[in-house]
């Protein structure tokens, strides 16, 4: 069982930056692929980024490539999402997620555990 708690959301101006953090409970954090997803009002939850167990492999949605960076600290059970050059369309609730088995997937239903989400609002 893994419990996930996101933090770091808030209000930013377009072109600005925010860093999201996700703290995970459990002794086997390093055995989970970690992902970030987001959901804007009236839209489906969508993939943002994911990182493999070791951190050696990452994947990003095309909409955030070159602007967002996912990283993890297995010693402290944390995963991060550095968001730069924010755009108005990045406004959403951002969710941290974890999945067993070391392959990255962009599919929501493949993730086993979810945090409660943190709101990111970008003003234009």
């Amino acid at each position: 069982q893994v419990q996930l708690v996101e933090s770091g959301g808030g209000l930013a101006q377009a072109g600005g930056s925010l860093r999201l953090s996700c703290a995970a409970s459990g002794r086997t954090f390093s055995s989970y692929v970690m992902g970030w997803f987001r959901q804007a009002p009236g839209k489906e939850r969508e993939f943002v980024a994911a990182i493999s167990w070791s951190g050696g492999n990452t994947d990003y949605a095309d909409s955030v490539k070159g602007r967002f960076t996912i990283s993890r600290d297995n010693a402290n059970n944390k995963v991060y999402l550095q968001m730069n050059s924010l755009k108005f369309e990045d406004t959403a609730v951002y969710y941290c997620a974890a999945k067993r088995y070391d392959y990255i997937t962009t599919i929501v239903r493949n993730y086993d555990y979810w945090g409660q989400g943190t709101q990111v609002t970008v003003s234009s």
Side-chain angles (χ1 to χ4, degrees), residues 70-82:
I70 189 171
S71 61
R72 66 189 297 161
D73 178 354
N74 286 343
N76 292 296
N77 286 12
K78 289 190 175 180
V79 63
Y80 304 100
L81 186 68
Q82 178 67 44

Side-chain angles (χ1 to χ4, degrees), residues 83-111:
M83 305 186 296
N84 298 330
S85 302
L86 283 163
K87 303 177 180 180
F88 175 76
E89 50 265 39
D90 294 321
T91 296
V93 177
Y94 283 70
Y95 296 90
C96 176
K99 64 172 292 292
R100 295 179 290 263
Y101 309 119
D102 195 20
Y103 66 91
I104 289 176
T105 175
T106 65
I107 300 173
V108 171
R109 66 176 182 271
N110 286 353
Y111 285 77

Side-chain angles (χ1 to χ4, degrees), residues 1-2 8-10 12 14 16 25 32 38 48-49 60 63 69 77-78 85 94 104 113 120-121:
Q1 190 79 5
V2 176
S25 65
Y32 290 86
R38 67 187 182 187
V48 175
Y60 296 92
S63 59
T69 302
N77 286 12
K78 289 190 175 180
S85 302
Y94 283 70
I104 289 176
Y113 304 101
V120 171
T121 303

